[in-house]
Amino acid sequence: MNRRTFLKRIFGSFITLIGLSGGTYYYAKELEPNMLDIHYVDIISKKVMSAFENYKILQFSDTHIGFHYSIEQFEKLVRKINAENADLVVFTGDLIDNPRTYTVNQRLVTLLDQIQAKDGKYWIYGNHDHGGYGTNMLKELFDQSGFELLQNGHRQINKNGDMINIIGVDDVLLGKPDINQTFQGVDQNLLTILLAHEPDYAEIAKDYPVDIQLSGHSHGGQVQLPLIGYLYTPHLAEKYVEGYYSVGNRPMQLYVSRGIGTTRLPYRFFCKPEMTVYQLKQN
């Protein structure tokens, strides 16, 4: 354990003790998890064709429904998603915290179906989606809701003859990601946006013709401290934790969402939940 990790854990233990005995607990458990940030990000690339100028892609991730995130909260999120009037909506994994114990009802199907996007809705598996025998259940749920799964697959979005690629890999931790299969039949000259749940997958993706990677999984650490930063992130969200990164020599653009819900511990501290609206811009 290096010095930075040691200090983080010491401070993490300290703030947890303080929080349990004071107002920090209430803020971190009841207030901040409901303070949704909507981030607006311009993605600038010379590969953006004229028909895709100002094209809006909305990403939401890591709702973890069932673990201190209710169907009522998700309903409010759906309204906020639709208010953005996005051209494309992508979900980057972990819809339900524990598929083994959560009972899916028609209301969840209906809410997912109500999400609107002019050019389609796409999703990929996260580790929690595969966990607890959720693989088939989540596939059926999203199929009924008009979302298309990109499990080592791709789709070409065509607007007036101009095109971009949306590609996705299976979850790295519990799935079988195969980026070579993903790229079969892909026009590599087009702007290519990869959906990959774990952000550290960028270390692999940077060696392929990926222009942009969108990820979640990290939750931004959920708890961050001034001057210290995040206390803990899960495996494969250790190098890339939140926000924008330039990866590799080309370079590839990586955006990591802090996600919507919480997992393991129901707290957020200096790490508000977020969804992101990307707007494509010509360079």
Side-chain angles (χ1 to χ4, degrees):
M1 183 185 301
N2 61 35
R3 183 174 182 271
R4 183 169 183 263
T5 301
F6 174 78
L7 287 174
K8 281 185 178 182
R9 293 184 180 179
I10 290 295
F11 275 95
S13 300
F14 174 76
I15 195 171
T16 299
L17 290 173
I18 295 297
L20 289 173
S21 61
T24 302
Y25 173 84
Y26 180 77
Y27 173 83
K29 185 175 185 295
E30 303 296 339
L31 297 182
E32 187 167 304
N34 294 301
M35 296 178 179
L36 179 68
D37 272 347
I38 303 177
H39 288 182
Y40 298 92
V41 176
D42 287 343
I43 292 181
I44 301 171
S45 172
K46 63 183 179 182
K47 288 187 175 182
V48 175
M49 299 180 179
S50 58
F52 286 91
E53 178 73 11
N54 297 320
Y55 191 82
K56 291 174 69 173
I57 301 173
L58 185 147
Q59 177 198 12
F60 72 108
S61 192
D62 297 272
T63 48
H64 288 268
I65 295 171
F67 182 81
H68 298 271
Y69 191 81
S70 68
I71 197 74
E72 289 76 21
Q73 288 173 294
F74 187 65
E75 184 174 12
K76 293 178 182 178
L77 176 67
V78 169
R79 290 199 293 268
K80 291 179 179 179
I81 289 172
N82 287 338
E84 295 299 326
N85 196 30
D87 295 289
L88 203 72
V89 169
V90 297
F91 176 70
T92 47
D94 285 359
L95 180 72
I96 295 169
D97 191 72
N98 189 345
R100 184 191 297 272
T101 60
Y102 186 81
T103 301
V104 173
N105 57 36
Q106 186 59 39
R107 188 178 180 190
L108 180 54
V109 176
T110 300
L111 288 173
L112 283 167
D113 185 60
Q114 287 176 354
I115 294 175
Q116 301 169 9
K118 301 182 186 73
D119 295 331
K121 307 182 294 189
Y122 297 89
W123 75 286
I124 56 170
Y125 282 109
N127 55 303
H128 282 255
D129 300 316
H130 276 312
Y133 305 102
T135 304
N136 294 333
M137 182 186 78
L138 268 295
K139 174 69 163 57
E140 182 178 354
L141 171 61
F142 277 107
D143 283 350
Q144 293 176 20
S145 307
F147 276 78
E148 182 175 349
L149 173 63
L150 295 177
Q151 188 179 20
N152 302 324
H154 69 273
R155 285 294 177 266
Q156 199 172 74
I157 310 299
N158 188 321
K159 290 186 72 67
N160 303 321
D162 289 346
M163 290 171 284
I164 62 173
N165 296 319
I166 302 293
I167 68 175
V169 292
D170 199 0
D171 179 70
V172 181
L173 289 171
L174 296 180
K176 296 179 180 179
D178 187 340
I179 196 168
N180 291 307
Q181 177 182 324
T182 302
F183 267 100
Q184 288 183 8
V186 171
D187 184 345
Q188 299 181 7
N189 295 310
L190 300 178
L191 181 76
T192 299
I193 301 172
L194 168 67
L195 310 181
H197 182 64
E198 288 85 0
D200 290 359
Y201 191 74
E203 289 302 301
I204 294 174
K206 67 181 175 59
D207 295 326
Y208 288 81
V210 175
D211 299 295
I212 300 145
Q213 177 178 317
L214 306 182
S215 296
H217 184 57
S218 72
H219 295 241
Q222 286 191 190
V223 174
Q224 297 192 19
L225 298 179
L227 304 179
I228 300 297
Y230 59 90
L231 300 178
Y232 166 82
T233 56
H235 183 48
L236 295 182
E238 296 156 307
K239 185 170 185 177
Y240 305 111
V241 177
E242 65 169 323
Y244 169 76
Y245 300 88
S246 180
V247 183
N249 295 324
R250 291 184 291 114
M252 181 185 77
Q253 299 181 56
L254 168 64
Y255 296 89
V256 185
S257 172
R258 294 196 300 262
I260 302 294
T262 59
T263 189
R264 298 192 180 186
L265 293 174
Y267 312 126
R268 280 187 179 270
F269 192 72
F270 288 113
C271 189
K272 294 178 182 177
E274 70 176 8
M275 72 179 187
T276 311
V277 180
Y278 306 96
Q279 196 162 36
L280 302 185
K281 300 282 188 179
Q282 291 180 306
N283 190 352

